[in-house]
Amino acid sequence: LNNNAPLLKKILFALLFFWMFHPVLKLFPGVVFQTNLIIISIPAFLGLVGYFKYKRQSRVSNTVLILMILGFVYILMYEFIGVLIGVIDFNFTKEYIMGFMLFFSAYYIVSQYKFYYGNKFLEVLLIHMFYIGAIHSFLILSVAFFANFKELFYEVIWLTDKQEKYTFGGAFNNRYSGLLPTGFSSLSTTHATLLSIGLFCLHRAGDFKFIKLMLLVASSVGIFLSLIFIGRSG
């Protein structure tokens, strides 16, 4: 395990990156692959098993899970009534199922950080989330400033019709979503949250060397600029 730990930590970082920003890939003309089917579903299964295998869970996570279950039952009741009166719409059920998958996949990722980084796992997890936001921000800036890169990038990454208009000039103003097929308010909020994490890390930057401090500053500026090109205030 000690010999493989550095590689496994890199894989864990990559998993966290694509868990946060999971692209839809163009495989063939008219055929796309949603990477979240693997990136979220497999960790969700492992997290589900681990959550109930190790019974010492935090009061917060148990409370959140109970509230999610109660909400799910509530939605099922209303959708059942809808079926009886001829209104069939299972969108809320699908969203709740995805919510459970995100909950348990997030639990798995955090548990792995705790396993590999011990008592420092929260500090490492936060700085990794911030760096992931910076990487995705620089992708957005690269797409915004380099037309050739944008063309090549979106030969592989699929966009919704609406987002494609904003990306390639079919709308009045350009807005970019990086790896995601769409973005707008949710992506802006995510980047703003990751920027806040970076500012928190900067606040505690007394322990950082100069190079790492400059990296934090540059990353913070990159995330801030990305908010402009995402097209929301964050």
Side-chain angles (χ1 to χ4, degrees), residues 36 40 68 157 161 174 190 201 231 233:
N36 64 345
I40 293 178
M68 288 176 66
I157 305 298
D161 291 338
N174 289 351
T190 300
C201 293
S233 66

Side-chain angles (χ1 to χ4, degrees), residues 81-88:
I81 294 172
V83 170
L84 293 180
I85 63 175
V87 179
I88 300 175

Side-chain angles (χ1 to χ4, degrees), residues 26-150:
K26 295 179 181 178
L27 298 182
F28 308 102
V31 179
V32 299
F33 174 67
Q34 298 189 27
T35 58
N36 64 345
L37 295 175
I38 293 176
I39 293 166
I40 293 178
S41 60
I42 294 177
F45 173 75
L46 297 173
L48 176 65
V49 173
Y51 195 92
F52 293 104
K53 181 178 179 181
Y54 304 105
K55 308 214 172 185
R56 292 168 134 193
Q57 308 303 339
S58 72
R59 187 174 299 176
V60 173
S61 64
N62 284 335
T63 301
V64 169
L65 183 58
I66 289 170
L67 291 174
M68 288 176 66
I69 293 171
L70 291 175
F72 187 53
V73 172
Y74 176 79
I75 290 298
L76 286 178
M77 290 173 56
Y78 264 85
E79 291 193 342
F80 177 71
I81 294 172
V83 170
L84 293 180
I85 63 175
V87 179
I88 300 175
D89 184 2
F90 296 111
N91 283 328
F92 282 113
T93 298
K94 293 176 183 176
E95 293 294 330
Y96 253 99
I97 291 172
M98 178 56 70
F100 283 115
M101 292 177 67
L102 288 171
F103 178 88
F104 288 112
S105 60
Y107 169 79
Y108 173 77
I109 291 172
V110 173
S111 67
Q112 292 303 297
Y113 265 87
K114 195 169 185 179
F115 176 77
Y116 285 110
Y117 295 99
N119 294 332
K120 293 185 177 181
F121 85 95
L122 183 57
E123 178 183 344
V124 174
L125 179 59
L126 287 175
I127 198 68
H128 280 188
M129 290 173 65
F130 172 65
Y131 286 145
I132 284 169
I135 293 169
H136 195 249
S137 295
F138 285 114
L139 269 177
I140 288 175
L141 294 175
S142 298
V143 166
F145 285 109
F146 303 106
N148 290 337
F149 177 78
K150 178 171 68 174

Side-chain angles (χ1 to χ4, degrees), residues 179-207:
L179 284 170
L180 299 181
T182 188
F184 310 135
S185 57
S186 58
L187 180 60
S188 174
T189 304
T190 300
H191 274 231
T193 302
L194 297 174
L195 175 59
S196 299
I197 291 173
L199 295 176
F200 172 74
C201 293
L202 276 172
H203 178 68
R204 303 177 61 204
D207 296 331

